[in-house]
């Protein structure tokens, strides 16, 4: 398999997408570890919104960990980029950042540096997730991973949202106070959204 552009002198953007549990964080951590073995200086970030696990680590569902800086917005990342010396920028859960992150990724790539992002390409409705499709469009390399569908065990491309034991409704708010919520990977055929 051709392994991205990690040996290139030119800047580039690569993005790893797919549903929850597809191995996006795992793959991002793998690429960052390889960059570190090559003595490249890596700046890693994640949006602070995602504090399911430890706060200053990118953590995969199978326990892989990478130290990172938690930020509350894209402008904070810009400050680090201006002030720090680095070769590689990595961002996990990029779907939670604002549109500004697109210009920042472009700027870093134009500085001949490597940008590695990972994030959800679709929301729980199965619709494109905010800025992620735009990043996919401008990226040199897109890796779309699948998880395993929890219903039929085929490759899963979507994230099923479950609220109080039932498929979430299309119009359900992002944050539902008091509800018992969970997410699982599903294929196109098994993915359910109640209209
Ligand atoms: P993502 O960042 O895409 O949510 P992670 O890298 O955090 O994914 O976790 C991937 C790991 O999750 C897999 O290596 C596997 O051990 C575990 N896993 C749990 N449920 C599933 C599933 N339905 N399909 C695939 N992997 C799963
Ligand atoms: Zn299925």
């Amino acid at each position: 398999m051709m392994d991205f552009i990690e040996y290139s002198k030119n800047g580039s953007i690569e993005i790893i997408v797919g549903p929850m549990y597809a191995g996006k964080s795992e793959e991002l951590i793998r690429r960052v570890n390889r960059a570190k073995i090559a003595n490249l200086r890596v700046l890693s970030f994640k949006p602070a919104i995602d504090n399911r696990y430890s706060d200053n680590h990118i953590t995969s569902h199978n326990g892989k960990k990478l130290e990172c800086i938690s930020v509350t917005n894209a402008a904070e990342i810009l400050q680090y980029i201006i002030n720090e010396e680095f070769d590689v920028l990595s961002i996990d859960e990029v779907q939670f950042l604002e549109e500004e992150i697109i210009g920042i990724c472009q700027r870093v790539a134009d500085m001949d540096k490597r940008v590695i992002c990972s994030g959800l390409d679709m929301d729980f409705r199965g619709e494109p997730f905010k800025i992620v499709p735009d990043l996919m469009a401008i990226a040199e390399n897109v890796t779309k991973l699948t998880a395993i569908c929890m219903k039929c065990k085929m490759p899963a491309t979507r994230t099923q949202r479950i609220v109080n034991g039932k498929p979430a409704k299309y119009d359900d708010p992002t944050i539902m106070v008091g509800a018992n919520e969970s997410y699982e990977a599903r294929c196109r055929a098994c993915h359910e959204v109640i209209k």
Side-chain angles (χ1 to χ4, degrees):
M1 188 181 97
M2 203 189 85
D3 215 307
F4 326 105
I5 15 258
E6 59 192 354
Y7 36 74
S8 168
K9 278 204 167 67
N10 299 317
S12 67
I13 299 173
E14 55 207 89
I15 183 159
I16 305 156
V17 300
M20 277 180 75
Y21 302 105
K24 300 182 299 298
S25 299
E26 204 180 342
E27 176 60 15
L28 178 116
I29 293 167
R30 189 187 78 89
R31 292 185 196 183
V32 166
N33 283 337
R34 287 176 60 84
K36 286 181 175 172
I37 290 167
N39 284 336
L40 296 172
R41 296 161 298 183
V42 186
L43 278 183
S44 293
F45 298 93
K46 72 168 186 184
I49 289 162
D50 179 53
N51 52 10
R52 287 174 300 178
Y53 308 100
S54 55
D55 231 353
N56 53 347
H57 286 91
I58 292 168
T59 311
S60 71
H61 288 101
N62 60 347
K64 303 251 167 70
K65 273 187 172 200
L66 170 70
E67 218 179 309
C68 75
I69 302 162
S70 284
V71 293
T72 49
N73 55 48
E76 263 183 69
I77 295 181
L78 183 61
Q79 283 314 306
Y80 281 100
I81 282 158
I82 293 166
N83 296 314
E84 308 273 326
E85 302 237 3
F86 69 100
D87 306 295
V88 179
L89 165 65
S90 99
I91 309 170
D92 197 28
E93 304 279 14
V94 72
Q95 76 277 357
F96 291 130
L97 291 170
E98 324 88 283
E99 205 178 338
E100 211 182 335
I101 197 62
I102 297 169
I104 293 169
C105 289
Q106 293 275 49
R107 181 165 163 186
V108 171
D110 289 343
M111 287 158 66
D112 283 349
K113 298 178 194 295
R114 181 176 172 204
V115 180
I116 313 170
C117 296
S118 85
L120 295 166
D121 50 356
M122 284 179 261
D123 61 18
F124 75 89
R125 303 176 184 92
E127 293 178 349
F129 208 130
K130 291 192 209 155
I131 56 132
V132 176
D134 295 49
L135 281 171
M136 290 168 75
I138 61 167
E140 270 74 13
N141 181 288
V142 178
T143 303
K144 184 151 171 148
L145 301 175
T146 55
I148 301 298
C149 175
M150 285 293 95
K151 276 211 140 170
C152 74
K153 311 302 173 196
M154 293 297 283
T157 51
R158 281 138 218 261
T159 304
Q160 178 68 50
R161 184 185 190 192
I162 298 162
V163 178
N164 298 328
K166 290 193 211 101
K169 294 192 192 77
Y170 186 90
D171 292 323
D172 277 348
T174 312
I175 294 159
M176 296 182 74
V177 181
N180 180 13
E181 262 196 90
S182 61
Y183 292 89
E184 67 183 34
R186 296 266 181 102
C187 72
R188 174 187 286 275
C190 297
H191 185 250
E192 293 170 274
V193 185
I194 309 301
K195 287 276 172 180

